[in-house]
Amino acid sequence: MSELPRREFLHGVAAVAAASTVSLNVGATSAADDNRPLNVALIGCGGMGTSHLRNLLQRKEIRLAYVCDVDANRLTSAAKLVETSGRPKPVATKDLRDVLKDKAVDAVWIATPDHWHSPAAILACEAKKHVYVEKPVSHNVREGRLLIEAARKNKVVVQVGTQSRSTAHVRKAMELLQSGIIGDVLVAKAWNSQLRRNIGHLSPSQPPAELDFELWQGPAPERAFQANLLPGIWRFWYDYGVGDIGNDGVHDIDIARWGLGVNTHPDTVAALGSKFFFDDDQQFPDNQYCVFEWSGDGKVGNKRQLIYEQRDWSPYVQEGYENGNAFYGTQGVMLLGKGEGFKVFGPRNKLLEEMSGRFDLVAHHQNFIDCVRSGNRSHADVEEGHLSASLAHLANIACRTNRVLTFDPAKEQFSGEAPDQSMLTRKYRAGHWAVPTGA
Ligand SMILES: NC(=O)c1ccc[n+]([C@@H]2O[C@H](COP(=O)([O-])OP(=O)(O)OC[C@H]3O[C@@H](n4cnc5c(N)ncnc54)[C@H](O)[C@@H]3O)[C@@H](O)[C@H]2O)c1
């Protein structure tokens, strides 16, 4: 295990607070210099893209210049939504390169399937656009690192769509943990317990006429279309998603890591997970237990552990929250639901503090826009997104290889008796224009 000095290891919450005032010296296309509306594009107009769109259309400081989707029906609906809100007709295109080559575009919202997140975001950074990209920020560990490099090199804001980072009750909970309300938080837990659905066993078929499946697949290896990739269930396929741990799970994993105060990769990952319930084409586990350990300097009191539990077959909630967190401190415990609120209990389970609240997408958009204007790092900076998404990637690798992983956080490589390092990246479609350089 690698040994990290305590001060480098236990600085998550403080570092995140400090990071929000780090100036990026934002790049050339920034609208930081004036107060004109930001020209933005929505890339990916599906379920989440439409939520972004509806929110963005409420804002006077945003001009929806482009909508982009490889599905003609979704593209038309998104363009109509803009027009019926009384805004000028946006340019509608299926090819994100049309958006990126327009110098007037300041920022893009990317809400595509996961396999497109980093490749599209890297291209956007290279085109000097600020980027709001949905979680998980990457399809694999290597892509996340390349996106950080692209963001820093091009001095653009990259905000990840983990809106809890801007949600008032979650931020308050993190402040309380940092202030020591439950002592030292040695262990944090994140869970994802909900009832998903069976996606069946299907054979390849023709893609629907409205879908450009070639563009949809992008830099992923070419394969035949199958109807149970859509809508939205590409998440459960290795080539396109990160499983539910990288989907709903990563929201709570991100909060757990934040509250635990760890701002590096873990050095040990153990996980068991497979399909316990769904006899269908889903490739990722529906049942998963993952333990991540940060050994710090190895001394008692300086180690930290994050536990993730996933049961996608439970028609009931756990500990009062469908998806939630528990923080176990030396003086108390905090239970938190990012969509509901939190409760803090001290010794002998005395209730010390509670607060309710809802997931706040609007505040997260506001934070991104403020950072584009100011040049500050956002609440969910790409580096935070990378650390949290990497937990999902490492846990999935541990499950697929059925082994305990030791990881070198600085090199971002397996150490010890390692699985193939190529599991930290992916197979791409050879020669595709969106394959990130260095992947
Ligand atoms: N932050 C949140 O709370 C939250 C909630 C739901 C989903 N999400 C994230 O949003 C993303 C989208 O999820 P969804 O449920 O809306 O999926 P979806 O499949 O409904 O939408 C994805 C859209 O992207 C389009 N698309 C695919 N490739 C494209 C490309 N190259 N260019 C342009 N468009 C392309 C698809 O045609 C589709 O319309 C996922 O990454 C998911 O993790 C986040």
Side-chain angles (χ1 to χ4, degrees), residues 47-48 69 74 111-112 114 116-117 134-135 161 163 234-235:
M48 192 59 197
D69 202 295
R74 287 181 161 193
T112 59
D114 303 351
W116 261 112
H117 287 177
E134 267 307 339
K135 41 49 60 174
Q163 57 267 35
W234 45 261
R235 297 173 160 75

Side-chain angles (χ1 to χ4, degrees), residues 16-81:
V16 170
S20 61
T21 57
V22 170
S23 177
L24 293 169
N25 186 17
V26 164
T29 63
S30 168
D33 342 342
D34 51 49
N35 278 328
R36 69 178 167 80
L38 290 180
N39 285 319
V40 312
L42 172 68
I43 301 175
C45 311
M48 192 59 197
T50 305
S51 295
H52 286 307
L53 191 55
R54 287 186 196 284
N55 276 292
L56 291 172
L57 288 172
Q58 303 294 318
R59 290 182 176 274
K60 288 203 170 55
E61 71 273 40
I62 293 286
R63 183 176 161 264
L64 247 306
Y66 284 81
V67 288
C68 171
D69 202 295
V70 299
D71 177 318
N73 291 347
R74 287 181 161 193
L75 187 61
T76 306
S77 302
K80 258 198 200 128
L81 195 59

Side-chain angles (χ1 to χ4, degrees), residues 305-331:
Q305 208 176 62
L306 194 160
I307 299 161
Y308 172 74
E309 294 180 10
Q310 175 176 299
R311 286 176 294 281
D312 270 349
W313 43 268
S314 38
Y316 45 83
V317 303
Q318 179 178 337
E319 269 84 84
Y321 304 115
E322 181 183 77
N323 301 83
N325 288 96
F327 296 94
Y328 303 102
T330 50
Q331 301 291 324

